[in-house]
Amino acid sequence: EWFADILGSDRFLASLGRSLLFSALTLAIQLPLGIAVALMLLGFGRFAIWGLMLCALPLVVPWNMIPMLWLGMIDTQSGLLGPGLAAVGFDYKFTALHTWALILVMDTWHWLGLVVILSYAGLSAIQPQYRQAAVIDGASRWAIFRHIELPRLSGALAIVILIRFVDSFMIYTEAFTINAGGPNDATRFLSLELGEEIKGFSYGQAAARATLYFLIVLAVTYVFVVVTRRQEDRP
């Protein structure tokens, strides 16, 4: 009955849609940006290590401190970014659009370093002779990336996509701390509903919801592994 109630609930389907949308937006933003930063650092030579360290710095920030850090940064009175945003006429309000934007920016700031580091590792493994031969043949920068760099990044990007999807799909602390799933349930993801049921001592329904949550992640991971193996087996 618990499974039937959850699967037949419009609220569950809406939360599932929001969680999938957030994961899709996260990947659409962080993958291209991380690859672009990695390509830029590749041209720094031995000084790229300092850029990698700077990108990795947010990864060591405790996850429960990140939303408080960003709420403090956008404060118009004492925040690092708040006065600057106010000076250009941007007034942050906890509307649905502003809340989504803040969570996406915060998540990108936190996890972009992972994408950059893995992308840089994949790019660094490419022998320079490939790029030199392509330049001699008159290939454009986009052609070099499309036919030389991107295929050799596929392994690293596969890991990034899987890790970032699972992590973004389970987002809880950031969304809860920023606006507790509001306004009007605009950021109420699956994890927030599960947390509410646990806090409300609805352990039976929470267990059913957690099981469905696990099966969704397991199904996506299984499909991802199957597709990745088929691509690797292609001649």
Side-chain angles (χ1 to χ4, degrees), residues 22-86:
F22 179 78
S23 297
L25 291 175
T26 297
L27 293 174
I29 294 172
Q30 296 177 13
L31 282 180
L33 184 59
I35 295 174
V37 174
L39 287 171
M40 180 183 66
L41 292 177
L42 197 65
F44 288 179
R46 60 180 181 178
F47 297 103
I49 184 64
W50 298 104
L52 293 173
M53 292 175 60
L54 184 62
C55 291
L57 188 61
L59 294 173
V60 302
V61 179
W63 53 268
N64 56 341
M65 293 299 298
I66 293 175
M68 301 304 298
L69 173 66
W70 275 88
L71 286 174
M73 290 177 62
I74 64 174
D75 185 80
T76 56
Q77 301 298 326
S78 58
L80 182 64
L81 300 178
L85 294 175

Side-chain angles (χ1 to χ4, degrees), residues 164-177:
R164 289 303 303 123
F165 169 78
V166 173
D167 183 78
S168 61
F169 192 71
M170 296 188 300
I171 185 172
Y172 175 81
T173 303
E174 295 86 344
F176 181 80
T177 305

Side-chain angles (χ1 to χ4, degrees), residues 66-111:
I66 293 175
M68 301 304 298
L69 173 66
W70 275 88
L71 286 174
M73 290 177 62
I74 64 174
D75 185 80
T76 56
Q77 301 298 326
S78 58
L80 182 64
L81 300 178
L85 294 175
V88 298
F90 180 79
D91 183 19
Y92 180 85
K93 298 178 181 179
F94 287 94
T95 61
L97 180 60
H98 287 182
T99 304
W100 268 85
L102 178 59
I103 296 176
L104 284 171
V105 170
M106 179 173 52
D107 190 81
T108 300
W109 173 83
H110 186 199
W111 290 105

